[in-house]
Each structure stands twice: as C-alpha cells, then as structure tokens.
Amino acid sequence: MGDRGTSNHSGGTDFILVGFRVSPELHIFLFLLFLLVYAMILLGNIGMMTIIMTDPRLNTPMYFFLGNLSFIDLSYSSVIAPKAMSNFWTESKSISFAGCVAQIFLFALFIVAEGFLLAAMAYDRFIAICNPLLYSVHMSTRLCAQLVAGSYFCGCISSVLQTSMTFTLSFCASRAVDHFYCDSRPLQRLSCSDLSIHKIVSFSLAGIIILPTIIVIVVSYMYIVSTVLKIRSTEGRKKAFSTCSSHLGVVSVLYGAVFFMYLTPDRFPELSKLASLCYSLVTPMLNPLIYSLRNKDVKDALSKLLDKKKIHSLIFLVPH
C-alpha cells in the first residue's frame, strides 16, 4: 500500500470494505441474515406502496406520507444491502471510488429526507388531532406535495455538502474502510488531511438537519398529548393515541439508532456498525410491520387485496 507520504490518492482508486470482523465460517450465516432482512424489506415496503396506491380509502395525506416513507426505506436499504451481501462471497471486498461516492451520496440523501418526512408526518398528526375540522383545509394536496418535495430537496442539499466535504479529503496509506458500506466517519479515519474544520462543518450540518426535525416532532406531540388528555372518553383517547403510536415507534427506532451511532466513540467501530445496521436495514424492515400491525385501515386494505387475489386465482383455476 505504500508509504503514507507517497500513497495519497484521489478519484479512480478502489476502497476495501472491511465489514464485520468475524470468522469466515460466520459469513454464510451473515449472508443469509442479510438476505432474509432485505427480502422482508422488499416485501414489506413494496407491499405497503401497492396497498396505498390501489385502495381508494387510503387516499389521504397520512398514507401519502407513508407511501413516500416506504419508498425512502426501500431506496436507502437497496443502496447498502446488495453490496454488503456480495462482499460476504468475495475475497477482495472492494468498491470502486465512484461506487463509494454513490453510496455516501444516495444514503445521505434518503436518510436525511426520511428525517424531514417524519417531521412532516408529526405535523400531519398534530393537525388531525388538534384541528380536525380544518384538517382537509390545512393538509391540502398541494401542501403535502410541497412537504414531501421539501424533504427530498433538504436530503439532496445535505447529501451534496456531505459527499463533497468527504471526497475533498486526501486519503493516505490504508484503503480499508472499517465498515460494511462507505460512510463519512470511517473514511475520515483514512485521511491525512486536517479534520478540525471538516468536523466542525459536519457537526454543524448534523445540527441543522437533526434539531429542526426533532423540534417539530417534540412540539407537535406536546400539543397532541395536551389535546388528547382533554378528551373525556377513554375510547376517544385510545383512538387518538393509536393514530400516533406507529409514527412514534418509527421515530424512536430511527433516531435511537442514529444517536447511538454518532455517540459511539471511534475506538468502538463494531458498535458503530451495529447501530448503522439498525437504521440502514432493521428500521426499513420494521416500519411496514409497525404500520400494518397497528393500523386498522392498512390491515383492512391488505385483507381486501388478498381476497381479490384469491378470487382471481380461483377464476383462473376453474376449467372453462
């Protein structure tokens, strides 16, 4: 790999994805585990999008946001999982410079977009519970489209900044990225550049992204809880909270994993990988389950869709 002073490189050089530091015998188990999780992600999120698009009863702002959430979950897990699975079968575990740039750019785009989308969903629940009579006025089709477009736009801006900052660094000596996908933190460890300004900018960018979304979510739920507690009937309270419990579950899993990863010291890279695994693959797998198991409308739509398929299958099997 050459000396530190002579092995600086920029575009055109492959990186090595170290992955999980486990014995080779466990690679097959990890491959099968990743394959199972990714299959559930595909099935759950494509299924959720199909249900939302085919059932007219789900043509509401809440399910419009949920459909986009499923698309985002499917997208950023697909940026990570196929390459991670292929590396369990190859000796080199290499990823091209362009592939590494693409992974960082796309993953950052979708994960940031998800944060802003969850904030938009919290605002939607706030309007639905605190101002139900004006819900259709406030949550117009135009506003919903603007909130979703804004989420993707913020994700794109953040991704451009993060990716450009990461790949303006000079990388020296080892090309081994101590992770199962290209991420800015393990890439920083390979750099021989001065990281002080880079870390300040990265921290500021993370604050600009995370703080507003958390504030919107927290304030929305403060108003929601205050409104729900004023409802006298137990059934009314239960129904109001049930519309928010799925969203709260998704927010808790995602932000819990993100905070755990960023608060994990660099000297514990394996813990950081586990946290990354939670929000890059486990969260997209759990989100459709959380929403389908706790949502009567989704369960009814799924049942209706399955009944239609059964009828079509029976018609096909009946001899003509």
Side-chain angles (χ1 to χ4, degrees):
M1 293 191 182
D3 296 332
R4 185 178 178 87
T6 60
S7 59
N8 287 5
H9 66 273
S10 55
T13 306
D14 289 355
F15 291 100
I16 308 297
L17 295 174
V18 173
F20 294 95
R21 297 181 184 275
V22 295
S23 61
E25 292 79 18
L26 286 174
H27 282 186
I28 295 174
F29 169 75
L30 287 174
F31 170 79
L32 293 174
L33 182 63
F34 269 61
L35 182 62
L36 175 64
V37 170
Y38 188 53
M40 291 180 70
I41 290 169
L42 292 174
L43 182 64
N45 287 289
I46 292 174
M48 184 65 77
M49 287 188 288
T50 303
I51 290 167
I52 291 168
M53 287 188 292
T54 55
D55 196 310
R57 292 174 300 174
L58 303 184
N59 187 21
T60 65
M62 175 181 168
Y63 295 106
F64 174 67
F65 291 134
L66 183 54
N68 277 278
L69 181 68
S70 290
F71 172 75
I72 289 173
D73 283 342
L74 182 64
S75 298
Y76 73 71
S77 59
S78 296
V79 171
I80 304 300
K83 182 61 181 173
M85 288 190 291
S86 70
N87 281 349
F88 289 125
W89 294 102
T90 58
E91 290 292 326
S92 66
K93 304 185 189 303
S94 65
I95 183 170
S96 67
F97 184 87
C100 193
V101 172
Q103 268 201 338
I104 287 185
F105 178 82
L106 291 172
F107 187 75
L109 189 160
F110 289 117
I111 201 73
V112 171
E114 177 153 329
F116 281 97
L117 186 65
L118 288 172
M121 293 172 78
Y123 176 72
D124 171 69
R125 292 299 83 205
F126 157 70
I127 297 295
I129 291 171
C130 299
N131 296 288
L133 297 178
L134 296 174
Y135 180 71
S136 58
V137 176
H138 284 297
M139 298 306 296
S140 63
T141 303
R142 183 181 178 183
L143 178 62
C144 292
Q146 287 173 341
L147 288 171
V148 170
S151 298
Y152 287 114
F153 178 74
C154 291
C156 190
I157 294 297
S158 168
S159 181
V160 168
L161 291 172
Q162 185 175 330
T163 307
S164 58
M165 280 195 310
T166 301
F167 289 100
T168 52
L169 298 172
S170 296
F171 300 106
C172 309
S174 173
R175 295 178 293 117
V177 181
D178 194 8
H179 216 303
F180 61 93
Y181 65 91
C182 277
D183 191 33
S184 56
R185 279 184 74 188
L187 278 168
Q188 286 172 20
R189 298 183 203 123
L190 304 182
S191 175
C192 51
S193 304
D194 181 9
L195 295 176
S196 54
I197 295 175
H198 185 276
K199 286 183 177 179
I200 291 169
V201 174
S202 295
F203 184 78
S204 302
L205 185 61
I208 291 168
I209 293 164
I210 294 171
L211 276 179
T213 58
I214 288 179
I215 288 169
V216 170
I217 291 168
V218 170
V219 171
S220 295
Y221 274 101
M222 283 172 64
Y223 278 104
I224 287 169
V225 171
S226 175
T227 302
V228 170
L229 291 177
K230 292 174 185 175
I231 299 173
R232 294 185 178 181
S233 69
T234 307
E235 189 63 31
R237 286 185 187 180
K238 187 178 177 182
K239 186 177 179 182
F241 274 127
S242 69
T243 64
C244 304
S245 58
S246 300
H247 178 259
L248 273 175
V250 170
V251 169
S252 301
V253 171
L254 178 68
Y255 279 97
V258 169
F259 280 123
F260 180 69
M261 191 199 74
Y262 279 102
L263 293 174
T264 302
D266 285 346
R267 65 180 180 275
F268 300 119
E270 296 306 305
L271 279 178
S272 181
K273 290 175 197 175
L274 284 175
S276 298
L277 184 64
C278 282
Y279 75 75
S280 62
L281 293 177
V282 176
T283 300
M285 178 188 71
L286 290 178
N287 286 355
L289 291 173
I290 292 170
Y291 271 99
S292 59
L293 292 175
R294 298 189 63 85
N295 191 298
K296 187 178 182 298
D297 292 336
V298 173
K299 285 192 282 189
D300 290 345
L302 178 60
S303 177
K304 184 180 173 184
L305 186 66
L306 292 174
D307 286 342
K308 277 185 180 178
K309 288 192 173 183
K310 283 180 185 177
I311 292 168
H312 288 157
S313 300
L314 287 171
I315 291 170
F316 181 76
L317 291 171
V318 172
H320 297 283

